[in-house]
Amino acid sequence: MSAVADQRKKRTLIAGVAGLLGFIALPMLSVAAVKTLKNSKEGTNKIANLPDLVLIPPTPAGLLAVVDDRGEITAISLLALSPPRSGEVKGGTIIEVPVAARTNLADDTVGRLADAYTHGGQTELVETAEGLLGVSMATSLVAGREAMAALLAPYAPVEFDLAADVIDTDGAGVNQVVAPAGHVTADAAMLAEMLTAHQAGHPESDRYGRVGDLWSTLALRVGPGIGAPVTVSSAASATPTTVAAVDPFSDFAVFFRTLFAGKVGVYRLNSVPVTDPTANPTGADMVNLIQGEVIMVTATVMPTSVSPLFSSITFYVRSSLGDSRLTLEAVSRLVYQGANVVLVKEDPSVPAPALNTISFIDATDGTQAEAFIKQLGSGYVIAKPDSRIDGVDVVLTLGEQFRKDADLERLNVATTTVTPVTEG
């Protein structure tokens, strides 16, 4: 992941591109997981004078990489399953990740995320992606054209309106039209070709947008879901009732089918081109991810898969301000200071406090939290916690004053809308 120190310099650009590409049908934990979290008492406390321990429902993560006939990675997606509801798991989120994302490789060099596969195959790709994105994968797959066609077959055909031809350059340097411009009805084979197509001389950003459109259109095609959900023992456990002592989500095929058995949201990670000759001496087609955004998204849709980056306290950031840009700004400031954000929730239905509010159990955590929270603005209030959340040291609730302290108007940021995905 790009260095934390780089984030402050990029803040204006970060907010701008976040407004442009935005939150595309991002499923919010406020709809499903946090509702379960709020009502869950599986970890009821047995120590006097401490609130009950609340468990975060499981949100497994998986990695899907698509590879062309030349062995080059053409698309990478981070997948998250929605938390269980009524004993069933279905639906989730597809997070598109640029294959050109700048990262640290296993040999201590800096390169593109796709380079990890070239260097060390699927194992190195997964390990590098875990480090870059700050999550642990339950499963993964590197799929060629035929394997992708097989995965997508249950959801085809899919109709597209293409602004331009989708072109693939073969090994001999000859351009082939994979899908013509205009209205196209794509079967599974064409969908797979669209995911693997790479036109020579065109930047990764061209393919990135097309791949994102493909996943978004496929999510619309799936609608409320196609296929059967996976049954689990309870909302707090991913252990199936039908497959004894086996995690079904470690099997990528099961994971993928479960994802499309319910509503699917699609999110494209924003990035900034790496043009500095020191950071990119070869002039490669390379981009920096935005660390605050990556953490906000993963802490929203896959909190139990998040791996804390720092040896400091962990935050649950919640907001009822109704503007995802404010949440992103708060998360970015905390991360810049070296705080871990492991859970994020937006719920505009809850009245916002006047000032930022923090609550914690341990006084030592509170001391650290106050140092971090001062970077968010002009004031804060300490509130008594009503519960303990597993893996969370401090709960931060954004207050109305943060609208001014964030100073988004000065940055001239376009409004960003988060559309929750609900089950049912």
Side-chain angles (χ1 to χ4, degrees), residues 228-252:
V230 169
T231 301
V232 295
S233 59
S234 74
S237 172
T239 302
T241 57
T242 54
V243 186
V246 176
D247 177 5
F249 305 127
S250 63
D251 183 309
F252 188 88

Short mmCIF file of all heavy atoms in Angstrom, two decimals, residues 228-252:
data_model
loop_
_atom_site.label_atom_id
_atom_site.label_comp_id
_atom_site.label_asym_id
_atom_site.label_seq_id
_atom_site.Cartn_x
_atom_site.Cartn_y
_atom_site.Cartn_z
N ALA A 228 -28.89 -20.72 -4.96
CA ALA A 228 -29.25 -20.95 -3.55
C ALA A 228 -28.18 -20.39 -2.61
O ALA A 228 -26.99 -20.48 -2.89
CB ALA A 228 -29.41 -22.44 -3.30
N PRO A 229 -28.59 -19.81 -1.48
CA PRO A 229 -27.63 -19.35 -0.48
C PRO A 229 -27.01 -20.53 0.26
O PRO A 229 -27.45 -21.67 0.12
CB PRO A 229 -28.48 -18.51 0.47
CG PRO A 229 -29.85 -19.12 0.36
CD PRO A 229 -29.98 -19.56 -1.07
N VAL A 230 -25.98 -20.24 1.04
CA VAL A 230 -25.36 -21.25 1.90
C VAL A 230 -25.95 -21.10 3.30
O VAL A 230 -26.05 -19.99 3.82
CB VAL A 230 -23.83 -21.08 1.93
CG1 VAL A 230 -23.22 -21.94 3.03
CG2 VAL A 230 -23.24 -21.45 0.58
N THR A 231 -26.33 -22.21 3.89
CA THR A 231 -26.88 -22.20 5.24
C THR A 231 -25.76 -22.36 6.26
O THR A 231 -24.88 -23.20 6.12
CB THR A 231 -27.89 -23.35 5.42
OG1 THR A 231 -28.93 -23.21 4.46
CG2 THR A 231 -28.48 -23.34 6.82
N VAL A 232 -25.78 -21.50 7.29
CA VAL A 232 -24.78 -21.57 8.36
C VAL A 232 -25.49 -21.78 9.68
O VAL A 232 -26.71 -21.64 9.78
CB VAL A 232 -23.91 -20.30 8.41
CG1 VAL A 232 -23.08 -20.17 7.14
CG2 VAL A 232 -24.77 -19.06 8.61
N SER A 233 -24.72 -22.09 10.69
CA SER A 233 -25.33 -22.50 11.97
C SER A 233 -25.98 -21.35 12.71
O SER A 233 -26.96 -21.54 13.41
CB SER A 233 -24.27 -23.16 12.85
OG SER A 233 -23.21 -22.25 13.09
N SER A 234 -25.41 -20.13 12.59
CA SER A 234 -26.00 -18.98 13.26
C SER A 234 -25.44 -17.73 12.65
O SER A 234 -24.50 -17.77 11.86
CB SER A 234 -25.69 -19.00 14.77
OG SER A 234 -24.34 -18.67 15.00
N ALA A 235 -25.98 -16.57 13.04
CA ALA A 235 -25.49 -15.29 12.51
C ALA A 235 -24.10 -14.95 13.00
O ALA A 235 -23.48 -14.04 12.51
CB ALA A 235 -26.46 -14.17 12.91
N ALA A 236 -23.61 -15.69 13.97
CA ALA A 236 -22.28 -15.40 14.49
C ALA A 236 -21.25 -16.42 14.08
O ALA A 236 -20.11 -16.37 14.52
CB ALA A 236 -22.33 -15.33 16.01
N SER A 237 -21.63 -17.37 13.23
CA SER A 237 -20.70 -18.43 12.86
C SER A 237 -20.82 -18.76 11.39
O SER A 237 -21.90 -18.79 10.84
CB SER A 237 -20.97 -19.70 13.68
OG SER A 237 -20.20 -20.77 13.20
N ALA A 238 -19.68 -19.00 10.75
CA ALA A 238 -19.69 -19.38 9.34
C ALA A 238 -19.55 -20.89 9.19
O ALA A 238 -19.23 -21.38 8.13
CB ALA A 238 -18.57 -18.67 8.60
N THR A 239 -19.77 -21.64 10.27
CA THR A 239 -19.70 -23.10 10.19
C THR A 239 -21.01 -23.63 9.62
O THR A 239 -22.07 -23.37 10.17
CB THR A 239 -19.46 -23.71 11.58
OG1 THR A 239 -18.25 -23.18 12.11
CG2 THR A 239 -19.35 -25.22 11.48
N PRO A 240 -20.98 -24.35 8.51
CA PRO A 240 -22.22 -24.79 7.88
C PRO A 240 -22.88 -25.93 8.64
O PRO A 240 -22.22 -26.69 9.34
CB PRO A 240 -21.76 -25.26 6.50
CG PRO A 240 -20.35 -25.71 6.74
CD PRO A 240 -19.79 -24.78 7.79
N THR A 241 -24.16 -26.02 8.48
CA THR A 241 -24.88 -27.13 9.10
C THR A 241 -24.86 -28.38 8.22
O THR A 241 -25.10 -29.48 8.71
CB THR A 241 -26.35 -26.73 9.35
OG1 THR A 241 -26.91 -26.33 8.10
CG2 THR A 241 -26.44 -25.57 10.32
N THR A 242 -24.58 -28.19 6.95
CA THR A 242 -24.68 -29.31 6.01
C THR A 242 -23.33 -29.93 5.67
O THR A 242 -23.26 -31.02 5.14
CB THR A 242 -25.34 -28.85 4.72
OG1 THR A 242 -24.64 -27.73 4.20
CG2 THR A 242 -26.79 -28.43 4.98
N VAL A 243 -22.22 -29.22 5.97
CA VAL A 243 -20.89 -29.74 5.66
C VAL A 243 -20.09 -29.75 6.95
O VAL A 243 -19.56 -28.73 7.37
CB VAL A 243 -20.17 -28.89 4.60
CG1 VAL A 243 -18.86 -29.55 4.20
CG2 VAL A 243 -21.06 -28.70 3.38
N ALA A 244 -20.04 -30.87 7.62
CA ALA A 244 -19.45 -30.95 8.94
C ALA A 244 -17.98 -30.59 8.93
O ALA A 244 -17.20 -31.11 8.14
CB ALA A 244 -19.64 -32.36 9.51
N ALA A 245 -17.60 -29.69 9.85
CA ALA A 245 -16.20 -29.34 10.12
C ALA A 245 -15.46 -28.81 8.89
O ALA A 245 -14.26 -28.89 8.82
CB ALA A 245 -15.46 -30.54 10.71
N VAL A 246 -16.19 -28.28 7.90
CA VAL A 246 -15.56 -27.73 6.71
C VAL A 246 -16.10 -26.32 6.47
O VAL A 246 -17.30 -26.10 6.54
CB VAL A 246 -15.83 -28.61 5.47
CG1 VAL A 246 -15.26 -27.97 4.21
CG2 VAL A 246 -15.25 -30.00 5.67
N ASP A 247 -15.20 -25.38 6.21
CA ASP A 247 -15.63 -24.03 5.87
C ASP A 247 -15.96 -24.01 4.38
O ASP A 247 -15.07 -24.14 3.54
CB ASP A 247 -14.50 -23.03 6.19
CG ASP A 247 -14.86 -21.62 5.78
OD1 ASP A 247 -16.01 -21.39 5.35
OD2 ASP A 247 -14.00 -20.73 5.91
N PRO A 248 -17.23 -23.82 4.03
CA PRO A 248 -17.58 -23.88 2.60
C PRO A 248 -16.96 -22.75 1.81
O PRO A 248 -16.75 -22.88 0.60
CB PRO A 248 -19.11 -23.77 2.62
CG PRO A 248 -19.42 -23.02 3.87
CD PRO A 248 -18.39 -23.49 4.86
N PHE A 249 -16.63 -21.64 2.45
CA PHE A 249 -16.15 -20.48 1.73
C PHE A 249 -14.66 -20.55 1.41
O PHE A 249 -14.11 -19.65 0.79
CB PHE A 249 -16.49 -19.21 2.50
CG PHE A 249 -17.96 -19.11 2.81
CD1 PHE A 249 -18.41 -18.91 4.09
CD2 PHE A 249 -18.90 -19.27 1.80
CE1 PHE A 249 -19.77 -18.84 4.37
CE2 PHE A 249 -20.26 -19.20 2.07
CZ PHE A 249 -20.69 -18.99 3.36
N SER A 250 -13.99 -21.62 1.84
CA SER A 250 -12.61 -21.84 1.42
C SER A 250 -12.56 -22.41 0.01
O SER A 250 -11.51 -22.43 -0.62
CB SER A 250 -11.90 -22.78 2.39
OG SER A 250 -12.52 -24.06 2.39
N ASP A 251 -13.70 -22.85 -0.49
CA ASP A 251 -13.83 -23.34 -1.86
C ASP A 251 -14.27 -22.17 -2.72
O ASP A 251 -15.38 -21.64 -2.54
CB ASP A 251 -14.85 -24.47 -1.92
CG ASP A 251 -14.99 -25.08 -3.31
OD1 ASP A 251 -15.18 -24.31 -4.28
OD2 ASP A 251 -14.94 -26.32 -3.42
N PHE A 252 -13.44 -21.77 -3.69
CA PHE A 252 -13.76 -20.56 -4.44
C PHE A 252 -15.06 -20.67 -5.21
O PHE A 252 -15.83 -19.71 -5.30
CB PHE A 252 -12.63 -20.18 -5.40
CG PHE A 252 -12.86 -18.84 -6.04
CD1 PHE A 252 -12.41 -17.69 -5.42
CD2 PHE A 252 -13.54 -18.72 -7.25
CE1 PHE A 252 -12.65 -16.45 -5.98
CE2 PHE A 252 -13.79 -17.49 -7.82
CZ PHE A 252 -13.34 -16.34 -7.18
#
